[in-house]
Amino acid sequence: MLMRSDPNRLLDAAAFYESLRGRRATHLVTERLKALLPDPARKRILGLGYAQPFLAYWPGLASAGWVGSARLKTSMTQRPPRLPDADWMRRDCIVASDCLPFDDLSLDVILVVHGLELAGQAPLLRAAWKALADDGVMVLVVPNRSGFWAHDDSTPFGYGTPYSAGQLDRLLARAMFRAEQTATVLAVPPPILRLGKRTAGFIDRIGCVAGRRLGGLHLVVARKDLYAGLPLQPEKATLPLPRQVADMAHARRCSMREHS
């Protein structure tokens, strides 16, 4: 059942992140993300879905080799956010969920926000898997099915398909990704953000102690599992040396009898 929405119904993600509530939610998420994001130095990085508000707060992003943004072609994610001008903001495009306009193995890190829940499952993950380098990393921000934020349609996290922790882990495994780190954030209900940044942050830290079940968003760092889809090759059993010698001697005796 959906919670009661704000009187001003959400139009899209840009409207949310321009609001006070959106800015406070971004602060809470980025504070938790900082511990999970890899060092961007000399890496090729893509923000997928609607990741620009979070890319803007990635420490050291200026040292990356390349940074771009790909917004999903949905009504929620098409309008770009209003952010301070940055060089990487000029490398922005709108993409379909099943076909990313990037070469295979061309990216080192993909940050996915408002992507998986809006785009569906396998097509987006498969497209990301192909674009990532063999040692590439995907960082996911996904609404938690049992959290408050997935049931409030006044935020962009209340749209699409949320996932439980188990569902997300199984989905990644089927898409040949291996989850390396997990965390949770936004255990605080959306209305509490109005109480202020410090109060909301304190309540959120307490709520996140309970683990992934009560958090509003799942944070997952996943790496390509290159061997997940390879069938096991049965090896031929090798005989021990004494048995090999005995078999060779037996074969020689049989051959001599045939010629005698």
Side-chain angles (χ1 to χ4, degrees), residues 2-260:
L2 291 176
M3 297 171 59
R4 182 177 298 175
S5 303
D6 286 351
N8 296 323
R9 184 176 176 82
L10 177 69
L11 298 177
D12 58 12
F16 174 75
Y17 288 109
E18 290 168 7
S19 69
L20 178 61
R21 235 181 6 148
R23 293 194 297 272
R24 287 178 177 172
T26 302
H27 172 76
L28 291 176
V29 175
T30 52
E31 284 299 304
R32 192 63 55 88
L33 265 179
K34 287 177 183 177
L36 302 177
L37 293 172
D39 180 5
R42 296 180 297 279
K43 289 185 171 62
R44 300 159 295 177
I45 297 171
L46 176 70
L48 178 59
Y50 202 81
Q52 291 157 306
F54 303 94
L55 285 173
Y57 293 96
W58 189 332
L61 193 64
S63 64
W66 182 90
V67 183
S69 171
R71 289 174 284 117
L72 284 183
K73 190 178 181 180
T74 71
S75 59
M76 182 62 62
T77 55
Q78 286 197 85
R79 189 161 66 93
R82 296 178 182 176
L83 294 171
D85 188 33
D87 182 60
W88 61 266
M89 284 286 292
R90 301 184 184 93
R91 294 186 288 272
D92 178 43
C93 62
I94 296 178
V95 299
S97 61
D98 59 346
C99 184
L100 300 181
F102 304 99
D103 294 336
D104 291 357
L105 310 177
S106 63
L107 300 170
D108 299 307
V109 184
I110 299 180
L111 173 61
V112 183
V113 188
H114 302 305
L116 192 60
E117 70 272 21
L118 296 178
Q121 304 175 358
L124 182 70
L125 291 178
R126 181 58 183 163
W129 198 95
K130 291 177 63 180
L132 276 172
D134 287 341
D135 60 345
V137 172
M138 181 172 62
V139 183
L140 288 154
V141 179
V142 184
N144 180 9
R145 179 178 291 277
S146 59
F148 294 108
W149 289 74
H151 302 281
D152 188 337
D153 64 358
S154 67
T155 84
F157 295 108
Y159 291 80
T161 304
Y163 295 88
S164 67
Q167 288 172 331
L168 186 56
D169 291 344
R170 290 189 293 272
L171 178 61
L172 289 172
R174 288 197 298 269
M176 295 192 294
F177 281 98
R178 182 180 68 256
E180 291 191 334
Q181 292 178 276
T182 61
T184 189
V185 70
L186 292 187
V188 56
I192 299 298
L193 293 182
R194 297 190 180 94
L195 299 180
K197 186 184 297 185
R198 288 188 178 182
T199 302
F202 176 73
I203 297 175
D204 188 57
R205 286 192 296 272
I206 293 175
C208 288
V209 172
R212 298 175 71 185
R213 182 175 179 80
L214 295 183
L217 306 179
H218 298 297
L219 306 180
V220 180
V221 178
R223 193 176 294 274
K224 290 178 68 170
D225 194 346
L226 297 177
Y227 303 104
L230 296 180
L232 294 176
Q233 297 292 335
E235 295 184 4
K236 294 182 179 180
T238 56
L239 296 174
L241 182 60
R243 176 66 181 275
Q244 293 182 36
V245 174
D247 286 352
M248 291 173 62
H250 177 71
R252 184 176 181 182
R253 287 195 298 270
C254 291
S255 176
M256 293 175 63
R257 288 172 186 167
E258 291 176 357
H259 291 289
S260 61

